[in-house]
């Protein structure tokens, strides 16, 4: 198996990265591994390992060749590459341009949404449904469609019962 960087020498260093259900393999020869700092734990770019080879170049490339430094904590891009994390919350603003591309490769998006407990999600959905039903009921009453209004009233009662059941459990 050949090195993926120089494509000439036999690969002797094999790295495997698993993100979610995707697995990426990187095969390097000893020279390319050494030049990337893989053999030297102190010089190894954790950002490259986590984000794929070339990630640190993408971060550095976004600054236009200058070393960007966080005005709050003094963290540099080199510090990020070594540590694999940022120094403070201001770093996210300082390094925003390069980080956006890196975050997109790591996650589904650049905004953390989080998860909602199932019962809470059900409660929110039922509350939204109640609002819509109430608007429809008001409209039906205004238009004097009393048959539709009676159906909506029954549906609202059933939805409220479901919501009360969820809130009590």
């Amino acid at each position: 198996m050949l090195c993926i960087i120089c494509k000439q020498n036999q690969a002797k260093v094999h790295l495997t990265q698993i993100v979610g259900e995707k697995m990426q393999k990187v095969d390097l020869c000893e020279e390319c591994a050494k030049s990337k700092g893989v053999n030297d734990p102190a010089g190894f770019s954790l950002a490259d390992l986590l984000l794929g080879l070339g990630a640190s170049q993408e971060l550095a490339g976004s600054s236009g060749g200058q070393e960007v430094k966080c005005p709050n904590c003094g963290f540099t891009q080199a510090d990020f590459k070594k540590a694999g994390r940022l120094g403070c919350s201001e770093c996210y603003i300082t390094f925003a341009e390069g980080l956006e591309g890196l975050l997109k490769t790591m996650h589904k998006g650049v905004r953390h949404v989080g998860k909602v407990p199932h019962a809470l999600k059900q409660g929110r959905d039922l509350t939204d449904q109640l609002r819509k039903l109430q608007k429809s009921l008001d409209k039906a009453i205004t238009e004097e469609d009393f048959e539709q209004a009676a159906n909506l009233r029954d549906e609202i009662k059933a939805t409220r019962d479901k919501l009360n059941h969820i809130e009590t459990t």
Side-chain angles (χ1 to χ4, degrees):
M1 184 175 296
L2 293 178
C3 172
I4 64 163
I5 295 176
C6 69
K7 296 181 178 30
Q8 295 174 1
N9 299 326
Q10 194 66 21
K12 303 249 181 185
V13 178
H14 307 281
L15 300 172
T16 303
Q17 174 185 359
I18 300 172
V19 178
E21 295 181 15
K22 294 182 181 179
M23 182 170 71
Q24 293 178 342
K25 291 185 178 182
V26 178
D27 303 304
L28 306 170
C29 66
E30 289 180 12
E31 292 82 24
C32 290
K34 196 171 191 177
S35 72
K36 289 289 184 186
V38 175
N39 293 340
D40 177 18
F44 180 64
S45 171
L46 186 57
D48 276 341
L49 175 66
L50 294 174
L51 307 171
L53 291 173
S56 61
Q57 287 87 355
E58 183 178 330
L59 185 66
S62 66
S63 67
Q66 291 179 319
E67 185 69 22
V68 178
K69 196 175 198 179
C70 177
N72 188 44
C73 68
F75 221 66
T76 64
Q77 292 171 342
D79 294 332
F80 169 68
K81 288 183 226 175
K82 285 183 183 173
R85 55 189 161 140
L86 297 172
C88 69
S89 60
E90 282 293 313
C91 288
Y92 288 94
I93 297 167
T94 304
F95 303 116
E97 188 179 325
L99 286 174
E100 187 171 337
L102 298 179
L103 288 172
K104 283 181 182 176
T105 61
M106 288 173 52
H107 303 288
K108 293 178 183 175
V110 294
R111 186 171 174 265
H112 179 71
V113 179
K115 295 181 180 178
V116 177
H118 182 67
L120 182 60
K121 183 175 179 347
Q122 274 186 322
R124 286 181 182 173
D125 292 345
L126 287 172
T127 303
D128 290 343
Q129 185 179 355
L130 273 173
R131 276 193 220 116
K132 289 177 185 175
L133 288 170
Q134 189 62 48
K135 282 184 182 180
S136 298
L137 177 63
D138 293 342
K139 183 178 177 185
I141 292 171
T142 303
E143 294 174 356
E144 297 183 5
D145 186 356
F146 299 115
E147 187 175 327
Q148 177 69 18
N151 290 335
L152 289 168
R153 179 202 60 210
D154 295 342
E155 201 173 334
I156 287 172
K157 183 181 180 326
T159 305
R160 280 196 179 129
D161 290 343
K162 285 182 195 175
L163 185 60
N164 289 335
H165 178 72
I166 288 171
E167 290 174 350
T168 58
T169 55

